[in-house]
Amino acid sequence: MRKVVMIFAALAAMKVWTQDRFYRSVMQDALVMAYRERAVQLCQKEAQKPGKTSIPAAWLGPATAEVSIGAPGMSVAIWDLDNPLWDVRFRHPHLVLSGPAGTKGRCAYDLVAGLVSLSAH
C-alpha cells in the first residue's frame, strides 16, 4: 500500500511540475512576442544617447530575448523594503535582450515601468 501511495505522489508531483513548466514557457513566449519590438526600439534609442558609447550594442542584431523577474543590476538589498526601487529589483518582469554568443551587450526592458537599462555584462 505504501508503494502505491508513493507512486501516486510521484505522479502528482510530476503532473504539477509539467503544468508549471508548460505555463511558464507559454507565458514567456507570449511576453516576448508582445514586447520584443518595443524593447528593441527603446534599447536602440538608449544606446544612441550621448555617453553610452562604452556599452557595446551587440544586441541590435539578432538578439535572444528572455523574461526574468527583477533587475539584477540594481543595488537594492532584499531586506530594504522601504526602498522605492525594491519592486523594480525584485518584482517587475524584464525582457532581457542579449546578442549572439560571445558578445557582452545586454539591454533590459522593464515591462511594468516601460524603461530600459543597458549593461556591458
Side-chain angles (χ1 to χ4, degrees):
M1 185 67 166
R2 188 178 295 179
K3 288 182 181 182
V4 172
V5 171
M6 295 300 280
I7 290 172
F8 280 133
L11 288 173
M14 214 164 67
K15 177 184 179 247
V16 170
W17 180 81
T18 304
Q19 285 178 331
D20 181 61
R21 297 300 297 169
F22 179 72
Y23 173 78
R24 289 177 187 263
S25 173
V26 168
M27 290 305 294
Q28 177 165 330
D29 291 345
L31 287 172
V32 167
M33 286 177 50
Y35 291 102
R36 183 181 193 140
E37 192 70 31
R38 178 75 176 143
V40 169
Q41 290 174 356
L42 289 175
C43 289
Q44 287 173 345
K45 284 182 184 178
E46 185 71 21
Q48 293 171 355
K49 289 184 178 178
K52 302 289 184 181
T53 56
S54 64
I55 299 172
W59 49 265
L60 290 175
T64 58
E66 63 181 22
V67 176
S68 69
I69 302 299
M74 300 186 78
S75 60
V76 177
I78 195 164
W79 55 83
D80 190 11
L81 298 175
D82 294 331
N83 192 320
L85 296 176
W86 193 90
D87 282 342
V88 175
R89 169 63 177 97
F90 294 105
R91 295 185 72 187
H92 288 187
H94 287 76
L95 181 62
V96 180
L97 301 175
S98 57
T103 58
K104 294 187 177 185
R106 283 182 32 166
C107 179
Y109 173 65
D110 186 342
L111 299 177
V112 176
L115 302 173
V116 296
S117 62
L118 298 175
S119 66
H121 181 78

